[in-house]
Amino acid sequence: SLPSADPEWCASRQPLGTQKMAEEKAPEIKIHHERFIEVFSTLYSKWQSDEGAEQWGSSADGVAIVAGSQQDDFITFPKSLALHASLFMLELSDTLIAFGDENLYFLAASKKAKILEDMVSNLPDDFSHKVKVLTRDKTDKDKANFEEVIGMLKKSKKGAKIGTLTKEKNAGAFAAAWEEALKGSGLEVADIQNGIADVLAIKTEGQLTAVKAAGQLCTTSFKKNLQEKILDIVDQENAKFKMSDLSEKLEAKTFSLHSDLQMDKDDIEIVIPPIIQSGGKYDLKYTAHTTEEFLHLPDQGIPAIHVASLSLRYKFCFCSVSRTLLFNAKREQSENYKILFEAFDACLQELKPGLRLNKVFEMATAKIKEKKPELVSHLHKELGWGMGYEIREKRLVLDEKNKHTLHPGMVLNLRMGLENLELKVKEPRSQKYALLIGDTVVITKDGYEVVTEGLSKKYGKLSWNVSDDAEEAAPKKEGKKAATEEEIKKRFEQKFGQDKTRKMTEEEKESQRKQFEERNKQLAMDRVEEQRRRVHKDSGGGSAENKLMSQVSGYKGPEDFPSKASGSTLYVDDAAQVLLVPINGVPCPFHVSTIKNVSMQQQGTAGNVLRLNFVSPGSGMTLASMNKELMYLRELSYRAQEGQNLMMVHKQILDMKKAFSAAEREKKARDEIVAQEPLTINPNRGPRLQNLRIYPNLLDRGKRTDGDLEAHVNGFRFTVKKAPTQDLKHIDVLYRNIKHAFFQPSNKNSNVILIHFRLKNPIMIGKQSAKDIQFYLEWLEDSESLLENKRRSQYDRDEIEDENRQKQMVAKLDGEFKKFCDKVQDILPPIDSSVPDGDKIWEWDIPYAELEFQGTPKNSMVELYPTVNCVVHLATKPVCIIELDSVDLVYYERLRAGNNNFDLAFVYKNFLDKDVKMSECWERISTIDMKYYETVREVMQKSKMVQFEGAQQVNWNNVLKDYVKNFEDISADGGWNVIFGNDSDEEGDDGDDSEEDEDFEGEGSGSGSDDDSEVDSDESDLSEYSEDDDDSEEELSDEGMDSDEADAWAEKEDRRKAQEEKEKLLRGGGAGDSGKKKRRDDSDSEDDRPKKKSKKPPPPSPKKSSSSKHGRDSGGKHGRDSGGKDNRPKKKGLGR
């Protein structure tokens, strides 16, 4: 079927003639007629202006371009299809385009002709040519059509010479028939391939946008799917990986990036497979192939050079990038690469309109000769070429002979390489090597733009030393740093205990598991009591269920109406924030706060409709002093044939609502601010940290706010160095308003040292309220992050000295922050002012790096650290702070066999509060690797968290709503235990056969009268299914299963059904309603017979036990119902 059309540029990945067109299923394809006019006008004007030029056939009187059939057995880039891609964004095989000075003809098959006719119908009346679309006629093999086209060409100008693509070999009967007809026409034929190439070399704005998008895809895929993959392979011991496999995986994974980059996958083509070369065999031609040999890996100081290129096409526009990855490079190799890089950069700086292409080759040769003359002979003879629809445009090759000039809009692949280089080493695969650098460049009016600049070319970013010998020991940590870590360890051992590096025995593990289950059960019961106290405490006060809005008025009376307001038009008064609408010829004002929403609908010939919805009773908002005796207007609709005024009013209303909402948010934020005492300035300078940055940022996006943080008598003051306004000159944070204070020293995962405060009450910073404030120092800029250079040379003394100096600097900065925190701790006021030496109002909380785990709390994978009171991630924004004191439940999701990761959900205690959004009462950290499971569980256990786990994700919004709705019933039965706790049957240990038989006999006697009566009533309703059930039992008994097998089968069925019920409860999203149903029907939950549907299930018996209400069957754990019937398979001959 045909691909769907892009709203702006129609794209097709294959020639239209090669695609299967289904009459009913093929979606409609349309050619963008404005693009066609733009490209054809350029083509025609170029032909006219350069009429006598050689590239246009020396005064050709007409042009005829035929496209033959596509051949799938080899890759070609014919100029005819390149012209199609530029004109139509389609490749129309077996199609003829011919034009003269007045007429333009298309000849194509019926379906392609239909698409062309649709495009022609949209052309303006003043189009330069008369356009005619001819449909192919197979009855006479298009003889009549050819005669008509040739007749048109003979009428153009002198009608003697026709410009065509004489050097292009077209396949297929249609192209052959046209060439035969042209030979018999008596017209002279001239080649215009170079003229077409000159036109296609200048790209339109849409094509340049596609090239830039392709460049982003190229660099992202190269770095993520090739460079990082090779580094991973190098890190593995004894790894073997074929270069051809690596190329195939790179090609496949490139397509998978389309969603991240918001690109259409159908618009991406990899025409030439990625090229990866190593191990002494290198070919720098763009047509080189990746071999089946294994990737050459460095070992024991042996150098390994990898040359790789990735070329792809996006919306018919090519982009290419090439890089060299160097491992254990010798000095000679590193010097050669740096010389190549300097020559490449020098040529790049000279690219501009008007430059001759051979000048690029001359500059590169001169630069290399200046640095190292013997390398000139190794320079590849082509330094790049022009690109577009074709990966290599022959007319724009950058060599020593090409004198064509550059023009704005051209796209070049600047590709510079040194080949056949030799190195004197023993390893045969390292004796020969090559170096290559390639980028895609767009020529602009002022110079150039590199679209693949996102992939670094610098030697330090593409070279690694991975030698296994002579590893240097890491420098010892500074004393101040060690002291800080020792204090952290001491504080955490008070909560989490000693470091458990010793492996536990199976008996110790089992004992620990039982202790955990008992403690968790007790914690869950304690949590229920806490919930009851909180609910009963808050039950006294009432609260409004709907959002309450104050009444507002824009005018005091009609005399204040603007003079432009009339009873026939809509008018927006921005000053009064009022919309005046005509009702019965009278302008009626509505304040913007009364407008719930506004929408605009275009209904074709019926005109345009503007629909206004107003705030009214039952719409989720309530006006203050609402009078129930009045009638309220809910909706108004206005229709107009010409919608310009309606569209303008629609936009004005939206802008007015946006401004009003922003003002209301700011007002609400200021209303929530709790008045605080003023900051008491310390007359003597207190503890101080200089040149810090603050979060949230005070300046415009992209600019960071610098200042100094100083501790005073009752709080901190951050003095901004370049404050945008006077009220932002100082930011004050009082000690008593700080709920949690964090100090995070430097670590391996972050280049910042920070102090972070979580506040009890938010404060205003500019126009926004902030509850989290952070002061931080970046000790290493992102552009020079050591994380990107972790494989740098270990033998370079300068590098080693720089690294040691940097470590000393970081240790010094950590020490300064530590001193500041210690001094602040000393001056903090005590909790009880009557006891000066008592406990302070808070203590510094320090993330514990040894308990680090990785997860995704927001949108990206980050490192999370437990602290004494929280689980935090502070280094990147937005920060994540989970206060464990506010957590009611911790639930492990997606814990099942085969999963490599799990999710961790936190339910906060405020879910029982009134007028709270359930979506704000829980938080999930997703994609936590299973290797962190024991660490996370230990942290939660030591923090006295109630913990449960399950195999599925939970719809927490629905679960919490039902928990609140049925709180009394659920809390009476155990709270979270009744929803997520495992059944005692499921958790219980297997007993011996004799005990099971005794249990069976005792329960089969029917001692529980209440349960028996309920079961009997249920069985009477299900009597119609009892026959089938007996038959199924008979079938099982005929198979001859012995008693041990029957017990095992029954045990397995019990667990399976319990798990299914549990998952059904969670997926159903309701703990309350599902729990009620379960409490009604679960006396027969172990009976797997089909149930009769009833609209009103029988209510539970008031004397029914709690365990029976919540799915604990009184019939035991081996599939027996409460009436004593045993559903287990029986050994043949055994009775009931």
Side-chain angles (χ1 to χ4, degrees):
S1 63
L2 292 175
S4 58
D6 188 276
E8 183 177 1
W9 306 114
C10 181
S12 172
R13 297 279 46 90
Q14 294 181 354
L16 195 61
T18 63
Q19 298 174 354
K20 298 178 181 179
M21 296 185 176
E23 291 288 345
E24 299 178 356
K25 297 183 180 179
E28 184 181 5
I29 288 184
K30 292 184 179 180
I31 298 173
H32 199 283
H33 67 278
E34 293 181 356
R35 176 186 175 87
F36 170 79
I37 294 172
E38 178 186 1
V39 178
F40 181 79
S41 300
T42 303
L43 175 66
Y44 180 72
S45 61
K46 192 71 175 175
W47 172 56
Q48 291 288 70
S49 61
D50 298 342
E51 181 180 359
E54 182 182 354
Q55 63 265 29
W56 289 102
S58 301
S59 302
D61 300 316
V63 175
I65 307 295
V66 64
S69 302
Q70 273 287 78
Q71 296 175 295
D72 297 333
D73 49 350
F74 57 90
I75 300 172
T76 58
F77 300 99
K79 277 287 184 295
S80 57
L81 293 184
L83 182 61
H84 289 186
S86 185
L87 286 169
F88 315 123
M89 284 301 289
L90 292 171
E91 295 174 339
L92 304 177
S93 60
D94 291 334
T95 301
L96 174 65
I97 303 175
F99 63 88
D101 53 355
E102 294 181 357
N103 296 287
L104 169 62
Y105 279 24
F106 298 106
L107 175 57
S110 59
K111 294 175 182 176
K112 295 174 228 175
K114 177 65 171 59
I115 296 174
L116 292 169
E117 286 173 354
D118 292 341
M119 183 267 295
V120 171
S121 65
N122 292 320
L123 294 178
D125 296 336
D126 58 350
F127 185 63
S128 59
H129 286 64
K130 296 178 181 179
V131 186
K132 187 174 182 179
V133 180
L134 302 176
T135 304
R136 288 186 57 188
D137 186 2
K138 295 184 179 179
T139 57
D140 63 348
K141 296 183 179 179
D142 293 309
K143 184 177 180 180
N145 289 328
F146 291 154
E147 290 177 356
E148 186 175 353
V149 173
I150 292 172
M152 181 272 296
L153 294 172
K154 287 182 177 181
K155 293 178 182 179
S156 175
K157 295 184 179 181
K158 298 178 182 180
K161 184 186 292 187
I162 298 302
T164 186
L165 303 175
T166 58
K167 298 179 181 180
E168 189 168 292
K169 296 180 180 180
N170 292 300
F174 174 76
W178 163 251
E179 292 172 0
E180 190 68 26
L182 193 59
K183 288 180 182 178
S185 65
L187 293 171
E188 184 182 352
V189 177
D191 184 63
I192 59 171
Q193 179 172 336
N194 291 336
I196 299 293
D198 289 343
V199 173
L200 299 181
I202 310 299
K203 307 298 184 292
T204 63
E205 289 297 326
Q207 289 173 316
L208 293 178
T209 302
V211 170
K212 294 175 184 179
Q216 186 179 8
L217 177 60
C218 253
T219 55
T220 304
S221 181
F222 191 101
K223 186 173 184 179
K224 184 176 181 180
N225 299 326
L226 178 61
Q227 182 175 321
E228 293 184 3
K229 178 62 178 177
I230 291 178
L231 294 178
D232 292 339
I233 295 173
V234 170
D235 285 341
Q236 299 174 9
E237 295 183 3
N238 303 321
K240 288 187 177 181
F241 212 95
K242 287 185 177 181
M243 290 183 284
S244 58
D245 295 340
L246 192 60
S247 175
E248 291 174 0
K249 290 190 175 183
L250 171 60
E251 182 175 350
K253 290 184 177 180
T254 299
F255 288 99
S256 64
L257 294 174
H258 74 279
S259 58
D260 297 338
L261 301 178
Q262 297 181 348
M263 302 170 70
D264 190 349
K265 186 176 181 180
D266 294 334
D267 289 334
I268 302 172
E269 296 176 278
I270 298 184
V271 182
I272 296 179
I275 304 171
I276 302 171
Q277 303 175 83
S278 67
K281 298 180 180 180
Y282 302 92
D283 184 0
L284 300 188
K285 296 180 181 178
Y286 77 98
T287 56
H289 295 284
T290 303
T291 66
E292 296 286 335
E293 296 183 5
F294 289 106
L295 191 70
H296 185 207
L297 302 179
D299 185 24
Q300 298 294 332
I302 296 174
I305 307 298
H306 306 294
V307 174
S309 299
L310 176 61
S311 303
L312 56 86
R313 192 163 65 169
Y314 179 66
K315 291 187 176 180
F316 292 101
C317 295
F318 259 109
C319 180
S320 180
V321 65
S322 303
R323 292 291 184 268
T324 303
L325 309 181
L326 303 97
F327 295 89
N328 294 343
K330 300 298 183 182
R331 177 174 296 181
E332 178 185 347
Q333 293 174 316
S334 61
E335 289 178 355
N336 291 344
Y337 183 87
K338 291 175 182 178
I339 292 172
L340 178 66
F341 173 75
E342 290 180 12
F344 185 93
D345 191 59
C347 294
L348 192 64
Q349 299 298 329
E350 294 297 324
L351 293 180
K352 59 184 178 181
L355 180 71
R356 288 186 176 183
L357 298 181
N358 60 344
K359 292 295 184 181
V360 178
F361 192 90
E362 292 176 3
M363 281 184 289
T365 305
K367 191 70 175 178
I368 294 175
K369 186 180 292 186
E370 176 189 348
K371 296 290 183 179
K372 199 171 183 179
E374 58 268 27
L375 288 179
V376 174
S377 61
H378 296 279
L379 184 65
H380 193 62
K381 61 181 180 180
E382 293 182 359
L383 302 187
W385 41 76
M387 288 196 308
Y389 169 84
E390 304 174 65
I391 189 174
R392 178 179 177 272
E393 176 54 64
K394 296 179 182 178
R395 190 169 173 79
L396 299 176
V397 173
L398 279 72
D399 57 17
E400 58 182 343
K401 298 180 180 179
N402 197 337
K403 295 184 179 181
H404 286 89
T405 59
L406 296 177
H407 299 279
M410 285 186 173
V411 178
L412 299 178
N413 179 17
L414 186 60
R415 193 172 184 269
M416 194 176 298
L418 297 173
E419 56 187 353
N420 299 323
L421 297 170
E422 295 184 358
L423 184 68
K424 294 181 180 180
V425 292
K426 295 181 179 180
E427 172 62 32
R429 300 186 69 187
S430 300
Q431 292 175 354
K432 291 185 178 182
Y433 68 97
L435 303 172
L436 180 65
I437 301 175
D439 273 322
T440 300
V441 184
V442 174
I443 304 300
T444 63
K445 294 180 180 180
D446 302 325
Y448 68 93
E449 179 183 356
V450 181
V451 299
T452 52
E453 194 173 13
L455 191 62
S456 178
K457 301 181 289 291
K458 294 183 179 179
Y459 176 80
K461 301 292 184 179
L462 297 176
S463 63
W464 298 270
N465 192 311
V466 291
S467 301
D468 296 330
D469 52 340
E471 289 189 2
E472 297 185 8
K476 293 184 178 180
K477 299 179 180 179
E478 296 294 321
K480 294 178 181 178
K481 177 78 174 181
T484 302
E485 292 183 352
E486 185 66 24
E487 181 177 345
I488 297 172
K489 186 174 181 180
K490 181 179 179 181
R491 290 187 59 197
F492 269 82
E493 284 178 354
Q494 295 176 358
K495 178 174 183 178
F496 300 112
Q498 299 290 330
D499 185 19
K500 296 177 175 55
T501 56
R502 181 181 64 86
K503 292 185 177 180
M504 293 186 295
T505 62
E506 292 298 324
E507 292 78 10
E508 290 175 335
K509 289 182 179 179
E510 183 64 17
S511 175
Q512 190 182 56
R513 184 186 67 84
K514 291 182 178 180
Q515 291 177 5
F516 167 76
E517 291 175 353
E518 293 175 0
R519 185 182 303 174
N520 193 61
K521 188 175 181 180
Q522 183 59 41
L523 285 172
M525 298 305 298
D526 295 341
R527 194 58 48 84
V528 171
E529 295 300 323
E530 182 182 345
Q531 291 173 358
R532 286 202 189 102
R533 289 194 298 269
R534 191 161 63 249
V535 169
H536 293 156
K537 180 180 178 181
D538 297 337
S539 60
S543 61
E545 295 182 356
N546 295 329
K547 185 178 178 181
L548 190 65
M549 291 182 55
S550 59
Q551 283 187 332
V552 290
S553 177
Y555 309 111
K556 295 181 179 179
E559 61 274 9
D560 294 331
F561 287 7
S563 59
K564 294 182 180 181
S566 66
S568 59
T569 60
L570 294 162
Y571 182 79
V572 177
D573 187 357
D574 289 325
Q577 293 183 320
V578 169
L579 170 67
L580 291 106
V581 301
I583 299 179
N584 294 333
V586 177
C588 297
F590 291 87
H591 193 268
V592 65
S593 61
T594 65
I595 301 175
K596 185 178 181 182
N597 54 56
V598 58
S599 62
M600 183 78 178
Q601 297 178 350
Q602 296 181 359
Q603 298 184 352
T605 58
N608 300 314
V609 175
L610 182 70
R611 180 179 176 184
L612 300 165
N613 291 324
F614 297 95
V615 177
S616 59
S619 61
M621 303 177 73
T622 305
L623 291 170
S625 305
M626 182 169 285
N627 191 339
K628 296 182 180 180
E629 297 178 359
L630 299 178
M631 296 180 66
Y632 290 87
L633 188 64
R634 176 166 292 182
E635 177 184 336
L636 281 176
S637 297
Y638 290 90
R639 184 189 304 273
Q641 288 295 330
E642 294 184 4
Q644 294 182 353
N645 184 51
L646 288 185
M647 293 176 65
M648 181 180 66
V649 170
H650 178 249
K651 184 178 184 304
Q652 290 176 341
I653 295 173
L654 293 179
D655 293 343
M656 187 167 60
K657 281 184 63 63
K658 184 177 179 180
F660 179 79
S661 299
E664 285 292 302
R665 283 195 301 269
E666 182 179 352
K667 181 177 179 297
K668 181 181 178 182
R670 293 188 179 279
D671 292 341
E672 292 176 353
I673 301 301
V674 177
Q676 301 183 42
E677 60 180 324
L679 182 70
T680 304
I681 303 297
N682 189 353
N684 302 317
R685 174 167 290 185
R688 188 179 188 186
L689 289 174
Q690 296 180 334
N691 300 323
L692 301 185
R693 290 170 177 168
I694 187 174
Y695 166 82
N697 194 17
L698 306 181
L699 301 179
D700 296 334
R701 184 173 297 179
K703 298 180 181 180
R704 300 181 179 179
T705 307
D706 296 331
D708 300 333
L709 179 66
E710 187 173 2
H712 291 279
V713 177
N714 63 338
F716 298 96
R717 166 163 284 185
F718 183 75
T719 304
V720 182
K721 291 185 176 179
K722 296 181 180 180
T725 57
Q726 190 62 30
D727 59 336
L728 294 177
K729 182 67 177 176
H730 302 292
I731 305 297
D732 296 336
V733 181
L734 300 183
Y735 297 144
R736 293 191 179 275
N737 192 32
I738 296 175
K739 188 175 184 180
H740 298 289
F742 302 99
F743 160 53
Q744 180 172 306
S746 61
N747 59 47
K748 62 180 181 179
N749 296 318
S750 173
N751 61 348
V752 298
I753 307 172
L754 61 86
I755 289 174
H756 189 99
F757 299 124
R758 165 61 63 90
L759 305 181
K760 297 176 182 177
N761 301 304
I763 63 174
M764 291 298 296
I765 298 182
K767 295 183 179 181
Q768 59 179 336
S769 64
K771 202 171 183 178
D772 287 285
I773 299 180
Q774 185 178 118
F775 307 97
Y776 64 97
L777 175 67
E778 291 182 327
W779 54 267
L780 182 66
E781 294 294 335
D782 294 338
S783 59
E784 300 179 3
S785 176
L786 290 180
L787 300 177
E788 296 181 5
N789 296 309
K790 59 182 179 181
R791 294 182 176 86
R792 299 175 72 173
S793 174
Q794 298 178 358
Y795 300 101
D796 193 331
R797 293 184 178 179
D798 293 336
E799 299 250 350
I800 295 173
E801 291 178 3
D802 289 342
E803 185 177 355
N804 289 336
R805 280 195 295 269
Q806 194 170 61
K807 290 182 178 180
Q808 293 174 5
M809 177 197 69
V810 173
K812 184 177 179 180
L813 292 174
D814 281 338
E816 292 297 325
F817 274 75
K818 178 65 172 55
K819 283 182 182 178
F820 176 84
C821 294
D822 289 341
K823 291 179 180 179
V824 170
Q825 191 70 41
D826 293 336
I827 64 176
L828 282 177
I831 299 176
D832 187 358
S833 57
S834 61
V835 185
D837 297 330
D839 294 337
K840 304 294 185 180
I841 55 175
W842 48 262
E843 292 184 353
W844 291 100
D845 218 350
I846 304 177
Y848 193 32
E850 293 185 13
L851 293 178
E852 169 204 344
F853 65 97
Q854 295 182 353
T856 309
K858 302 293 182 184
N859 297 321
S860 59
M861 180 76 71
V862 296
E863 297 79 25
L864 294 127
Y865 303 93
T867 70
V868 174
N869 302 307
C870 305
V871 174
V872 301
H873 170 76
L874 305 172
T876 58
K877 313 302 178 292
V879 299
C880 173
I881 301 177
I882 298 175
E883 302 174 27
L884 297 180
D885 293 338
S886 303
V887 174
D888 196 81
L889 170 71
V890 176
Y891 190 85
Y892 301 83
E893 299 174 326
R894 299 192 303 108
L895 275 180
R896 57 176 179 267
N899 272 15
N900 296 326
N901 51 63
F902 65 96
D903 300 340
L904 187 63
F906 297 86
V907 178
Y908 295 115
K909 296 178 180 179
N910 64 341
F911 79 96
L912 291 170
D913 297 343
K914 293 184 178 181
D915 300 330
V916 67
K917 292 183 179 179
M918 287 303 172
S919 58
E920 299 175 356
C921 297
W922 62 278
E923 189 169 356
R924 175 181 287 131
I925 300 176
S926 60
T927 326
I928 305 174
D929 197 287
M930 286 300 299
K931 65 182 179 182
Y932 299 115
Y933 172 73
E934 293 297 334
T935 300
V936 174
R937 183 173 175 177
E938 180 183 3
V939 170
M940 297 299 116
Q941 184 177 353
K942 295 293 185 180
S943 301
K944 297 182 179 179
M945 294 289 103
V946 179
Q947 304 178 68
F948 292 100
E949 61 188 42
Q952 302 291 336
Q953 274 195 347
V954 179
N955 187 337
W956 288 107
N957 290 337
N958 293 342
V959 169
L960 296 181
K961 287 178 183 177
D962 290 337
Y963 194 106
V964 174
K965 183 179 179 181
N966 303 280
F967 175 75
E968 294 299 332
D969 292 337
I970 294 176
S971 61
D973 296 326
W976 296 119
N977 267 326
V978 74
I979 301 177
F980 300 117
N982 295 328
D983 281 344
S984 59
D985 298 333
E986 192 174 334
E987 295 177 349
D989 297 329
D990 294 340
D992 55 30
D993 293 342
S994 60
E995 291 178 353
E996 292 177 4
D997 292 339
E998 291 176 2
D999 292 341
F1000 171 72
E1001 290 174 3
E1003 292 172 3
S1005 60
S1007 57
S1009 58
D1010 293 332
D1011 291 343
D1012 290 344
S1013 61
E1014 187 170 343
V1015 170
D1016 293 341
S1017 64
D1018 289 342
E1019 287 184 348
S1020 63
D1021 291 338
L1022 301 172
S1023 58
E1024 60 180 300
Y1025 302 110
S1026 60
E1027 230 178 277
D1028 296 337
D1029 189 68
D1030 293 339
D1031 293 341
S1032 64
E1033 288 188 1
E1034 187 65 25
E1035 262 184 53
L1036 289 172
S1037 65
D1038 290 340
E1039 294 181 8
M1041 188 182 294
D1042 60 26
S1043 59
D1044 293 336
E1045 292 174 343
D1047 290 342
W1049 179 88
E1051 185 77 15
K1052 185 177 179 181
E1053 284 297 298
D1054 287 343
R1055 289 174 178 162
R1056 181 183 64 80
K1057 291 175 182 177
Q1059 183 66 21
E1060 286 179 355
E1061 289 295 327
K1062 185 176 178 181
E1063 292 179 0
K1064 182 178 179 182
L1065 172 65
L1066 298 182
R1067 286 197 299 268
D1073 295 341
S1074 300
K1076 286 183 178 180
K1077 183 176 180 180
K1078 196 170 183 179
R1079 286 189 289 273
R1080 287 194 298 264
D1081 301 333
D1082 264 1
S1083 58
D1084 280 331
S1085 62
E1086 295 295 325
D1087 190 348
D1088 55 358
R1089 296 175 297 175
K1091 302 291 188 291
K1092 180 187 289 186
K1093 295 181 180 179
S1094 60
K1095 294 183 178 180
K1096 291 185 178 181
S1101 173
K1103 297 182 179 180
K1104 191 173 182 180
S1105 64
S1106 173
S1107 62
S1108 176
K1109 282 176 67 179
H1110 292 288
R1112 288 174 174 79
D1113 220 10
S1114 58
K1117 70 174 183 176
H1118 287 300
R1120 299 178 293 274
D1121 60 21
S1122 48
K1125 182 184 290 187
D1126 189 352
N1127 292 330
R1128 295 177 295 168
K1130 297 294 186 294
K1131 184 175 180 180
K1132 191 171 183 179
L1134 292 177
R1136 299 184 70 83

